[in-house]
Amino acid sequence: MIKQTKYFFILAAFALSMNTAAQQLPQYSQYLNNAFVLNPSMGGLSGSPELKAVMRSQWTGLKAANDNMKISTFSFNTPVKEGKVGLGGYIFTDRFGPVSKTGINGTYSYHLNINSTSKLSFGLSGAMYLYKLNTDSLVFDNVPGSTDNVLTTGNFKAFAPNLGFGTYFSSEKFWFGFSIPELIPAKISPSQDFFIMQVKQHYFATMGTSIK
């Protein structure tokens, strides 16, 4: 029993020493109903103008989550030039405790008809994001040395542009999509000595088939 307990603590220490990461982009519960916000190539693909609003409250069981952990997205896209081109854009706000991210995004897509039932689409997007860190809402233990001097220098905010790319293939019985909403990695910082937030590339893939 003692030997098993020792192995357990060794494995636990190894797991805690590993690097961890979480998603930086908003999480959508019903993303299939508004996949345009994750893949710019889907703008105008439906053949008619689309205006959508998506709101999500997350981590509702945690304290103060109702006010500080919400995602709101408003999007619009429409086909132009007889459906060969799609134009659109969306705005969103993603709040997670002391951290928030607000963005405005514009998209352009081109749709190529392969045959009467298949279509291949490509899309580009340009975005401007506002990152905020509210250090006033951070709570540190009353233990000497437990605070982080970087996080107690005052509230932080910064603007950062980025680009996105996506492609989408659809046919009568099959569809596949791939996108990178943020192509440009970046370190967002008020100083060269440290950074507050780090932007990394995220990859999204969707695939499905129609069964009759």
Side-chain angles (χ1 to χ4, degrees):
M1 183 67 181
I2 297 177
K3 186 175 182 180
Q4 293 177 348
T5 304
K6 181 179 68 174
Y7 287 146
F8 171 79
F9 282 108
I10 292 175
L11 291 175
F14 176 76
L16 291 174
S17 66
M18 296 175 63
N19 291 329
T20 58
Q23 77 278 359
Q24 296 174 328
L25 297 177
Q27 181 179 355
Y28 302 103
S29 301
Q30 304 295 332
Y31 66 92
L32 290 178
N33 293 329
N34 195 17
F36 161 71
V37 298
L38 296 177
N39 192 333
S41 66
M42 300 187 69
L45 193 60
S46 66
S48 59
E50 292 184 331
L51 177 63
K52 296 184 178 182
V54 177
M55 298 183 184
R56 169 190 169 95
S57 295
Q58 55 189 5
W59 304 101
T60 55
L62 298 181
K63 184 179 180 181
N66 292 334
D67 296 327
N68 297 324
M69 299 184 183
K70 291 184 177 180
I71 300 172
S72 302
T73 305
F74 301 91
S75 65
F76 174 78
N77 69 89
T78 183
V80 296
K81 295 186 178 181
E82 299 180 351
K84 294 182 179 180
V85 173
L87 299 177
Y90 63 91
I91 57 176
F92 75 89
T93 298
D94 184 10
R95 291 187 294 171
F96 188 82
V99 179
S100 68
K101 179 180 179 182
T102 302
I104 181 170
N105 192 304
T107 68
Y108 172 90
S109 58
Y110 183 80
H111 310 296
L112 177 64
N113 292 321
I114 299 178
N115 52 44
S116 60
T117 59
S118 301
K119 184 175 293 187
L120 182 62
S121 303
F122 300 93
L124 294 174
S125 65
M128 178 63 71
Y129 301 120
L130 171 61
Y131 295 87
K132 289 184 178 180
L133 173 62
N134 182 14
T135 57
D136 295 335
S137 63
L138 296 175
V139 178
F140 297 96
D141 295 331
N142 294 323
V143 178
S146 64
T147 59
D148 190 328
N149 292 331
V150 172
L151 299 178
T152 57
T153 56
N155 294 335
F156 167 80
K157 65 178 180 179
F159 290 93
N162 217 307
L163 299 173
F165 168 80
T167 183
Y168 189 81
F169 171 81
S170 61
S171 64
E172 187 176 6
K173 295 184 178 181
F174 175 80
W175 65 88
F176 173 80
F178 176 79
S179 65
I180 309 175
E182 295 180 345
L183 283 170
I184 305 174
K187 292 182 178 180
I188 302 171
S189 171
S191 170
Q192 296 181 351
D193 299 328
F194 60 88
F195 62 90
I196 298 292
M197 302 175 190
Q198 187 173 11
V199 178
K200 292 188 176 182
Q201 291 178 342
H202 289 63
Y203 307 94
F204 291 87
T206 59
M207 182 174 63
T209 184
S210 178
I211 301 176
K212 296 182 179 180

